[in-house]
Amino acid sequence: MTSNLLNSLVNRDSFSAEAFLLDGDGVLYRGAQPLPGAQEFLTLLADSNTPYLLLTNNATRTPRNMAEKLTALGFAIAPEHIFTSAQATAQWLGDRYPAGSRILIVGMEGLAVALQDAGYEIVDDYRETDLVVASMDLAINYPKLAEAALAIRRGCPFIGTNPDRSYPEERGIVPGAGSIIALLETATDVSPVFIGKPQPEMFLQALERIGRHPGETVMVGDRYETDILGGHQAGLRTAAVLTGITTAEEFAAANPPPTHVFPGLPDLMVAWQNAG
């Protein structure tokens, strides 16, 4: 990345915001590695009483588990400041399917707990389920995929928590939930309904939780096709950082572009404080 390209990307207009939605992977941390400025930014938000949510497509952990993980990384963040695609999916299902419906999941504890808390029963037999919900699963195996595929082919509605094909960790870029869901789509010829970013549903649920309107809120993310495009489609202003998936070159070619682009959170913080 050349300095000329970065200079052309950075929006020099005032960077004001009354609330923030923040991605996790690639913005605050990368795998088990905190990113520069992340803890300082969370402290600044807390000290200034600025509403915010960590808006993550990661459905593998509950908000409490995720808060514990982040605490171990040195962050100070409470579960109520974390909103996952699993929670968004459970809320979406709650508006459409009655409590007590049986759901076969491809996923982990974060998804199972969110659905159970919403009153759904988790089953593992394709003949007994009413719905299939798929997400990231670090313990994925063929029998689990086969049960899900058989249920989808039987006519069960197919829901995906999020479409991320990959995500960044400390070793590099690795397969994400979207890669697992794509396997099921290939095996069944059925496309899922996605709930997490970039669908507006998750952003609107998050705004409702913090009591803010889109025009008051900035979505901060590293991935164009989920964080930035999704935020734009939900009516939010967006701030892209170059510490995750999407490169400066890709942001430069994007249409629509991010409202702002920063090398990382330290630069974003400076711009926000200067605007205040």
Side-chain angles (χ1 to χ4, degrees), residues 179-204:
S179 295
I180 294 173
I181 294 169
L183 187 154
L184 289 172
E185 186 173 1
T186 299
T188 62
D189 298 315
V190 176
S191 298
V193 175
F194 284 112
I195 308 304
K197 300 179 292 184
Q199 301 303 317
E201 177 72 24
M202 187 170 180
F203 294 93
L204 297 177

Side-chain angles (χ1 to χ4, degrees), residues 55 57 88 92 160-163 192-205 225-227 229-231 233-234:
L55 192 65
N57 268 351
W92 183 88
T161 58
N162 61 289
V193 175
F194 284 112
I195 308 304
K197 300 179 292 184
Q199 301 303 317
E201 177 72 24
M202 187 170 180
F203 294 93
L204 297 177
Q205 289 183 22
E225 66 268 24
T226 52
D227 303 323
L229 183 59
Q233 291 173 341

Side-chain angles (χ1 to χ4, degrees), residues 1-12 242 248 261 263:
M1 177 183 65
T2 67
S3 58
N4 287 340
L5 175 58
L6 180 57
N7 287 333
S8 70
L9 282 174
V10 174
N11 186 331
R12 305 295 179 182
L242 304 178
V261 178

Side-chain angles (χ1 to χ4, degrees), residues 164-245:
D164 301 63
R165 298 186 303 272
S166 60
Y167 68 94
E169 62 161 39
E170 60 272 20
R171 296 178 298 172
I173 308 301
V174 297
S179 295
I180 294 173
I181 294 169
L183 187 154
L184 289 172
E185 186 173 1
T186 299
T188 62
D189 298 315
V190 176
S191 298
V193 175
F194 284 112
I195 308 304
K197 300 179 292 184
Q199 301 303 317
E201 177 72 24
M202 187 170 180
F203 294 93
L204 297 177
Q205 289 183 22
L207 289 170
E208 183 179 2
R209 285 181 177 240
I210 62 175
R212 293 291 176 171
H213 299 294
E216 304 171 315
T217 308
V218 170
M219 175 67 211
V220 182
D222 69 297
R223 184 191 288 265
Y224 178 80
E225 66 268 24
T226 52
D227 303 323
I228 305 305
L229 183 59
H232 172 81
Q233 291 173 341
L236 287 81
R237 288 173 294 128
T238 57
V241 292
L242 304 178
T243 47
I245 290 286

Side-chain angles (χ1 to χ4, degrees), residues 26-74:
V27 175
L28 297 177
Y29 51 88
R30 190 179 179 107
Q33 181 66 45
L35 288 168
Q39 181 53 64
E40 292 82 357
F41 187 45
L42 293 179
T43 300
L44 179 61
L45 293 176
D47 290 346
S48 60
N49 293 315
T50 302
Y52 75 94
L53 277 179
L54 194 166
L55 192 65
T56 177
N57 268 351
N58 186 337
T60 64
R61 299 173 184 263
T62 66
R64 182 171 298 280
N65 292 155
M66 188 164 289
E68 291 171 352
K69 170 196 170 180
L70 295 176
T71 298
L73 295 181

